[in-house]
Amino acid sequence: MEEAVKNHLHIENVIFDAFVRNDWNKEIFDKMLPEYKVIFFELSTEKAKERLLGRMFDKETGETFPAGTTINPKNGNTLIKRDDDKDENAILKRIEEFETKTLPIVEIQKQENRVIAINANQAIENVFEEMITKL
């Protein structure tokens, strides 16, 4: 984690996807990027489960796409289901881990005024617009 942050310190605006997840990540970000912000997508458990069960994946590029997408529009690759998205129980376990390990960190960051909250329960296009507006 420290190496990844260090390799990007020279870039003015960087998004680290899926971080800060735990105390250790927060400690690194606090030390190395003291002015960082967190984009937090507020999403109900049901909507998260629905999106993850429908999510498609380009094995070659690593990109993910919403339910109903079968072809990567950028390169024509056929999309597949990710192994970790195929099973509802596995998804619920990931959500539970997020709620027990990551949400407490987010609550601390909210108190530190680091969190930019986005309503992710709305249509994906609206989520994007809200994120652009708030950023």
Side-chain angles (χ1 to χ4, degrees):
M1 171 58 74
E2 286 183 66
E3 193 67 29
V5 171
K6 191 184 309 181
N7 289 339
H8 292 85
L9 287 176
H10 65 285
I11 301 171
E12 187 175 347
N13 295 306
V14 176
I15 295 177
F16 291 93
D17 186 16
F19 291 100
V20 173
R21 289 186 180 183
N22 55 46
D23 291 333
W24 178 70
N25 293 161
K26 184 176 182 324
E27 184 179 315
I28 291 169
F29 273 71
D30 288 349
K31 178 176 76 175
M32 298 181 76
L33 297 166
E35 302 299 318
Y36 76 91
K37 295 288 186 184
V38 173
I39 302 169
F40 182 65
F41 296 95
E42 296 176 330
L43 185 66
S44 69
T45 299
E46 280 306 307
K47 184 63 88 171
K49 188 171 68 172
E50 174 189 319
R51 287 188 182 160
L52 289 171
L53 284 169
R55 181 166 71 167
M56 299 301 285
F57 175 68
D58 185 325
K59 191 173 181 179
E60 182 182 313
T61 66
E63 294 172 280
T64 58
F65 296 87
T69 310
T70 57
I71 302 291
N72 183 337
K74 298 175 191 171
N75 60 20
N77 287 348
T78 300
L79 303 176
I80 61 171
K81 291 285 296 164
R82 285 176 33 162
D83 287 340
D84 57 348
D85 287 344
K86 289 180 180 176
D87 178 76
E88 185 173 340
N89 289 330
I91 287 171
L92 290 174
K93 184 176 180 171
R94 286 169 38 211
I95 290 170
E96 180 183 334
E97 185 173 326
F98 169 79
E99 290 172 345
T100 59
K101 293 182 179 178
T102 303
L103 273 183
I105 301 300
V106 172
E107 290 305 317
I108 292 167
Q109 292 167 321
K110 282 181 180 178
Q111 293 172 5
E112 297 171 343
N113 291 323
R114 294 188 184 278
V115 176
I116 301 167
I118 308 293
N119 173 9
N121 284 304
Q122 56 190 325
I124 293 171
E125 297 79 18
N126 295 342
V127 172
F128 177 77
E129 288 301 321
E130 182 177 337
M131 182 179 68
I132 294 302
T133 300
K134 289 186 173 181
L135 287 176

